[in-house]
Amino acid sequence: MIDDAKRHDLVFKAKLADNSDRHEEMLQLMTSLAREGVDFTEEERTLYSVACKNTIKARRSSWRILSSILQKEVSKDEDSPRNANITREYLSKVEQEVKGRCNETIEILEKYLIPNTTNAESKVYFHKMIGDHYRYLAEFEKDKDSSNSLVVGAAKKAYGNAIGLLSSGVRPTSPVALGLALNYSVFCYEILKSPKTACEVALKAFNDALGDLKSLSGEDYTETASILSMLKDNLTIWTIDYLPRDG
């Protein structure tokens, strides 16, 4: 078991890494702490999440940019595919980096963080994170409409586990509950191609939280209101695909 001094040092160094935008090091530090088998505090959970998001975000952005470039290179000249082949090779390199990072995070969550947490919100949050990282992997699927994909199935299971744990004392206004609804609805819309389900998930979370919003204040209100705003924006866009059109 890690002693308090070493735990403090890892967390403080992670904060320094965060403040200086050194998120790769931040992730290494928080992963080291997770491997010690500790029950993450809310602060430690947030630090780990921020590190994961920032390190994977850059790679996912690179993958999207390279995918767009590849499409342009392929359409330019089919008789001279040299640039397209170079781009395809580089795209594959970035894709493997994303897959490696996602699989490593999923392993840490399943092997260390979930078994060691005693906090109800953290259990929900960590299962949501597993769903998120399987969702990132699903973006690479060649047939995104297929519900038989292993990573799509794994994402659905993880999100389902998180939703099943919501009843264990997690309020509908909790940023953890709303963040789960936000990300799961995005998964339904973008990966499962089901705007109807996405709207139902988002609308239920929005309405459930709205009734209890007045009980919040300060930072709790600000964070909850921010996620509600994102849910509302998504609903505005998705409803166009969901509702039948007059003909």
Side-chain angles (χ1 to χ4, degrees):
M1 178 65 68
I2 188 172
D3 60 57
D4 291 342
K6 183 178 179 182
R7 184 171 185 168
H8 168 273
D9 290 351
L10 286 171
V11 171
F12 186 69
K13 288 177 181 177
K15 291 178 183 178
L16 292 176
D18 184 24
N19 289 330
S20 55
D21 291 329
R22 297 174 67 85
H23 293 108
E24 293 288 345
E25 291 181 18
M26 182 184 183
L27 182 58
Q28 292 173 8
L29 291 161
M30 295 311 298
T31 298
S32 295
L33 182 58
R35 291 185 185 277
E36 294 288 346
V38 302
D39 183 355
F40 267 18
T41 64
E42 182 177 350
E43 179 186 44
E44 290 164 350
R45 183 188 78 199
T46 300
L47 288 169
Y48 181 68
S49 175
V50 168
C52 288
K53 286 178 181 177
N54 279 282
T55 54
I56 204 72
K57 179 182 178 180
R59 289 173 171 83
R60 290 174 68 213
S61 177
S62 296
W63 185 83
R64 293 193 187 101
I65 292 170
L66 289 168
S67 295
S68 177
I69 293 173
L70 178 60
Q71 290 179 353
K72 293 176 182 178
E73 291 297 335
V74 168
S75 64
K76 278 182 181 179
D77 189 353
E78 294 183 358
D79 296 327
S80 180
R82 186 178 185 85
N83 287 350
N85 288 338
I86 293 173
T87 306
R88 189 177 289 109
E89 181 179 342
Y90 200 63
L91 177 65
S92 177
K93 175 179 180 292
V94 174
E95 182 173 324
Q96 291 306 312
E97 288 181 3
V98 175
K99 288 180 177 179
R101 182 53 52 84
C102 285
N103 287 327
E104 180 183 355
T105 300
I106 291 168
E107 179 187 10
I108 294 297
L109 288 161
E110 291 181 336
K111 188 174 180 179
Y112 298 102
L113 294 179
I114 290 176
N116 288 307
T117 189
T118 57
N119 180 273
E121 282 199 346
S122 289
K123 285 184 182 292
V124 172
Y125 194 88
F126 291 146
H127 280 288
K128 179 194 78 71
M129 283 186 68
I130 291 177
D132 291 341
H133 283 77
Y134 275 122
R135 171 164 60 90
Y136 303 153
L137 292 173
E139 292 174 348
F140 300 130
E141 292 293 317
K142 304 303 179 184
D143 182 8
K144 294 182 182 178
D145 294 329
S146 174
S147 60
N148 295 321
S149 161
L150 291 177
V151 292
V152 171
K156 288 174 68 175
K157 180 181 179 181
Y159 284 130
N161 288 339
I163 292 169
L165 291 166
L166 282 176
S167 59
S168 57
V170 182
R171 297 176 61 179
T173 50
S174 164
V176 171
L178 290 172
L180 170 60
L182 178 65
N183 289 13
Y184 179 53
S185 61
V186 169
F187 169 74
C188 292
Y189 185 83
E190 293 185 350
I191 304 299
L192 297 185
K193 307 297 183 185
S194 177
K196 179 178 182 293
T197 304
C199 287
E200 290 172 348
V201 170
L203 186 60
K204 183 180 185 305
F206 185 89
N207 288 335
D208 288 349
L210 202 61
D212 198 28
L213 194 60
K214 293 181 180 179
S215 66
L216 302 179
S217 60
E219 291 184 7
D220 289 339
Y221 178 88
T222 301
E223 189 173 1
T224 296
S226 175
I227 302 176
L228 286 174
S229 177
M230 288 186 279
L231 285 168
K232 185 178 180 181
D233 289 344
N234 285 347
L235 280 167
T236 301
I237 298 170
W238 296 344
T239 301
I240 297 174
D241 291 338
Y242 171 35
L243 292 179
R245 293 167 174 76
D246 293 334

